[in-house]
Amino acid sequence: MVATLGLPCVLFTITPEDGVNFRIKVMASGDAGSDVPPSPMSDEEVLRKYISESQTTRVENPGFCSVDFENVIAIVVEHILGWDCKEHVNKPSYGFFGDLDGWTYAVEEQGRKTLHAHFLLWVKGWNKMSENLGTVKDGERYEMQLCKYADNIRFKCKVYPKRM
């Protein structure tokens, strides 16, 4: 992809929490109502027991963890990246990072036997912006575009208020 699209401009990692994951417990038990998670306001002993049981379920059912991981990745690709997986194209103005020329990811296993994925993104028009950041003539204008791009991501994620 580097040979075709150049250097990627965004790297992010997805690490789904599967240590206390109700979806995995449901898949393992086959019954969605059998073990409803306790309220976070529950007694500390109740919470510890639930966490311990959840972690045992994760270790005993790695296949369900993999299925859940694949589902999380599919959600990220469709809703965070804005990628139409049926047509294999970017959904214009849909993804958090803007319109994409392409993306890829690599999956790794962590020491505690859980999966995570490192995503690389190629945003449309990024190479032109990054080349011009270094020029004196256009540097300020492209710096403002870069700040606007970052604000747009923050606004879509509702992490920080938009800059004035």
Side-chain angles (χ1 to χ4, degrees), residues 2-164:
V2 171
T4 303
L5 299 173
L7 293 174
C9 62
V10 176
L11 162 70
F12 69 94
T13 300
I14 295 292
T15 308
E17 170 54 54
D18 60 4
V20 184
N21 186 318
F22 184 62
R23 295 180 308 270
I24 293 170
K25 289 188 81 161
V26 168
M27 286 187 272
S29 71
D31 181 9
S34 67
D35 193 14
V36 177
S39 163
M41 304 312 242
S42 297
D43 179 76
E44 190 173 327
E45 190 58 38
V46 170
L47 293 173
R48 283 186 190 173
K49 181 179 180 216
Y50 183 79
I51 290 168
S52 176
E53 289 171 356
S54 296
Q55 290 172 342
T56 300
T57 300
R58 179 187 72 81
V59 171
E60 292 175 351
N61 298 279
F64 292 135
C65 295
S66 295
V67 168
D68 189 68
F69 178 80
E70 287 179 359
N71 291 336
V72 169
I73 295 298
I75 290 167
V76 167
V77 168
E78 182 175 353
H79 297 287
I80 304 295
L81 301 186
W83 195 260
D84 184 333
C85 290
K86 291 179 183 164
E87 300 295 324
H88 304 287
V89 295
N90 176 72
K91 294 186 225 175
S93 303
Y94 187 83
F96 278 36
F97 298 97
D99 292 340
L100 303 178
D101 286 326
W103 57 273
T104 189
Y105 69 95
V107 176
E108 297 176 340
E109 180 183 57
Q110 298 181 122
R112 58 188 181 96
K113 306 294 185 206
T114 60
L115 301 174
H116 66 276
H118 300 288
F119 280 80
L120 296 174
L121 310 182
W122 285 264
V123 176
K124 286 185 189 297
W126 185 268
N127 287 340
K128 181 179 182 205
M129 186 185 327
S130 66
E131 288 169 7
N132 288 321
L133 277 171
T135 66
V136 174
K137 178 180 153 195
D138 293 325
E140 282 187 30
R141 182 167 57 103
Y142 283 98
E143 182 180 353
M144 288 175 54
Q145 285 183 351
L146 184 60
C147 289
K148 185 178 176 183
Y149 175 75
D151 283 344
N152 189 43
I153 293 170
R154 293 188 313 183
F155 178 71
K156 285 183 178 183
C157 296
K158 294 182 174 65
V159 175
Y160 299 101
K162 199 167 185 172
R163 277 192 243 193
M164 298 295 175

